Amino acid sequence: MFGVVTNVRVENTSAVAQQNLPVTFGQVFVVGHLMPADSLVGSFDNGTSIPLQIDVKATHPDGSVRHGVVSGIVPSLAAGEGRTLSLMKSNAPHAAGLGPQELLNNGFSSSVHATIAGVKYYASADDLIKTGAPYQTWLSGGVANEWHVSTPLTTADGVAHPHLTARFAIRWYDAIKKARVDVTIENAWAYEPNPQNITYDAEVMVRGVLVYSKPALNHLHHARWRKVFWWGGDAGQAYVKHNTAYLIASRAVPNYDQSVKIAESELAAIKTKFSGVVTEPMNVGLAVKAMATTGGRGDIALLPSWATSYLLSMDKRAKDATLGTADLAGSWSMHYRDKNTDRPISLIDFPYMTILGNRGDTKNRATGQYEEFPSCPSTLCATPYTHDTSHQANFNYLPYLVTGDYYYLEELQFWAMWNVFQSNPGYRGNILGLLYRNQVRSQAWSLRTLAEAAYITPDTDRLKEHYNRILTNNLDWYNSNFLNGGASANALGVLTSGSAIVYSSKLGVAPWQDDFFTSAVGHTAELGYTKALPLLQWKATFPIERMLSEGTCWVGAAMYKMNVRATETSPLFKTMAEAFKASSPDYVTLACGSTEMATALNLKVGEMDGYATSVMGYPANMQPALAYAASFGNVRGAEAWAKFAARPVKPDYSKGAQFAILPR
């Protein structure tokens, strides 16, 4: 062994002592910290060492490991005991993996059953393995092996259901002869005729025992549900706490303020909210059922509040809710799987597919084929949920980072691709997947999810190149249009594409939406996408100058709306002072930060306008944009951040830390 890379904390969540506890978790790595040829060994703080298996999934441009899945067997933990496990680099040889026949050698069985209008359908994982059906290897080594198999649900007479598919991800720990059985049922084929909701009685069997049942489950169209069980006895009592500081240092997640201590009341509330019926299949957990609901919400940010509460606390209640809500992201009717590839459908393969537009809009000129999806009439496809791109939570990125579960990877990929193909083909440049015509906040969250999918998708996955290509198309468009004298270049650093200037009779923008976009660009730059850097440096102008420009006042820097031109046909203002004067005279006629200003605006002295004490207020929305401006900007960015950080009235981020991002 040589050199500690990072560490995790492993805790026994059982009330009794446990032996031979399996652990498997995802881990991101700082550039250069681990090479694919390196091995890992685990060293506990009591001197015990264990072999660790790492399955490398994604690498950095320098060839070092970006993301991998780590597995080990913990010899023993007393009731409630926790131990710090250091991940040590090693030059030990990588152990060979096993094939799925090993499951059959040990008597493995698992199946799913659905009774639809009296007709019984089923799918059996062990039958698939017995018949030599194709399988995908996800983990391979001396500790854990995971294989994926899938099949349509079929009647006893061999009639396959046209829409319902069972997917099994079976993780085998040979040393303890136990398997984790991950079952997903999908209604998600993109081009299968007659899409519809399907009601059935669902059952899952493991080793001949009924482990889950749900009568009259209304499986929504283009949706899926997931459950996880154990074969050979429950082996899920080991809880892994990641090293938050290392995750943040990797730059895979933003630089959240690690001094924030999530309040016990917030953690308890998360547990209470994530309980009961909202945790069942075809529900959406902590998410808002109607995504377009207006107002401040905990799910609107680079990461939702429940995920940042988990990241900063490593509390099991918050993790359970974060992973559980990520499971239930499958309930939204936006999952389109390509039968040709058996993967989330890709814009690169179907550049004219769309959710919006007429049939004529979907004709592929190169192939002569129409790429519209089969119609889904409301009488057959009613759903209690509405999803969109402008208010979309980041469901699955962090869950995949910390677990390495394939389900979360595909969820991230489904959402990232839906965000770019849901618009009219002509509006997005067809295969280019451009986002600029959408609402500013839609551009922000779609860019965020696209960048994360490109960053973390495994190197061997064909979709990685697709996401990278679409991301590059978007960054090129923004750079060519807003930088270096482009058609939309302006001195304010404000985004004007799409429906940006729609406030105050098309004179103004929403600075908070623009800040969302700046933070998404900053996050993309931190992930290593260099084409985001010049865009970020230009975008940083807008939050910086709202704080610092002569003729402005930082009290109003996070105003709800800001006029950026005098008339609908006028060019944009050249100075921030003009924008402030046209937006709210109080900000420029009264002494900045004075008692007179506070009285006029009904604020405390030194309080920013826009709900300054709220963790979801407009100053909080502005914070990530300013943090990235300070990290990647110049001295002026640091000066703007210093003024912002010195304000006396701030939110209590212990009640929700989704905007508690600091400069690097």
Side-chain angles (χ1 to χ4, degrees), residues 440-521:
V440 172
R441 51 191 163 187
S442 170
Q443 295 175 59
W445 307 137
S446 297
L447 181 68
R448 167 205 65 193
T449 306
L450 177 61
E452 291 174 345
Y455 173 82
I456 207 61
T457 290
D459 294 350
T460 57
D461 190 329
R462 72 185 295 269
L463 292 179
K464 189 177 189 74
E465 188 273 334
H466 294 198
Y467 293 118
N468 273 308
R469 193 192 311 184
I470 298 168
L471 177 61
T472 297
N473 293 340
N474 277 280
L475 294 176
D476 284 346
W477 188 92
Y478 287 118
N479 285 335
S480 64
N481 279 273
F482 286 101
L483 276 60
N484 303 320
S488 300
N490 62 81
L492 299 179
V494 66
L495 201 68
T496 58
S497 55
S499 56
I501 311 179
V502 294
Y503 290 79
S504 301
S505 301
K506 297 187 177 181
L507 302 182
V509 301
W512 47 278
Q513 286 197 41
D514 195 277
D515 289 338
F516 290 163
F517 183 79
T518 302
S519 66
V521 175

Side-chain angles (χ1 to χ4, degrees), residues 517-570:
F517 183 79
T518 302
S519 66
V521 175
H523 180 44
T524 302
E526 277 205 329
L527 293 179
Y529 292 98
T530 55
K531 287 191 174 185
L533 280 171
L535 177 62
L536 174 61
Q537 288 161 354
W538 173 77
K539 280 301 298 111
T541 303
F542 192 50
I544 289 172
E545 297 310 318
R546 281 147 55 201
M547 292 295 297
L548 297 181
S549 274
E550 186 177 351
T552 69
C553 178
W554 61 272
V555 170
M559 65 182 78
Y560 174 73
K561 58 185 178 180
M562 174 182 286
N563 288 359
V564 293
R565 59 190 179 191
T567 70
E568 191 174 339
T569 58
S570 300

Side-chain angles (χ1 to χ4, degrees), residues 8 23-27 68-71 85 87 240 242 401-404:
V8 297
V23 292
T24 294
F25 56 91
Q27 181 65 56
V69 185
V70 179
S71 300
L85 178 68
L87 277 55
V240 176
H242 281 74
L401 285 187
V402 299
T403 66

Side-chain angles (χ1 to χ4, degrees), residues 8 59 118 146 149 184 188 257 316 349 370 377 389 424 442 540 559 579 610 622 639 657 663:
V8 297
T59 57
E146 181 172 314
V149 292
T184 300
D257 185 351
K316 188 175 185 300
D349 298 326
Y370 290 92
T389 54
N424 184 284
S442 170
M559 65 182 78
M622 187 182 188
E639 184 182 348

Side-chain angles (χ1 to χ4, degrees), residues 111-123 151 153 161-167 183-188 196-204 212-227 280-282 330-331:
S111 59
V112 297
H113 305 261
T115 303
I116 307 173
V119 180
K120 295 183 180 297
Y121 291 81
Y122 80 101
T151 183
L153 271 66
H161 195 281
H163 297 288
L164 295 180
T165 301
R167 298 181 177 275
V183 179
T184 300
I185 310 299
E186 285 189 356
N187 177 12
Q196 59 192 275
N197 299 344
I198 303 166
T199 300
Y200 55 90
D201 296 334
E203 294 182 341
V204 181
Y212 182 76
S213 65
K214 183 76 172 178
L217 190 157
N218 182 27
H219 193 144
L220 303 174
H221 73 97
H222 297 103
R224 59 188 196 149
W225 60 272
R226 177 201 196 203
K227 288 289 182 180
E280 284 296 307
M282 294 300 110
S331 302

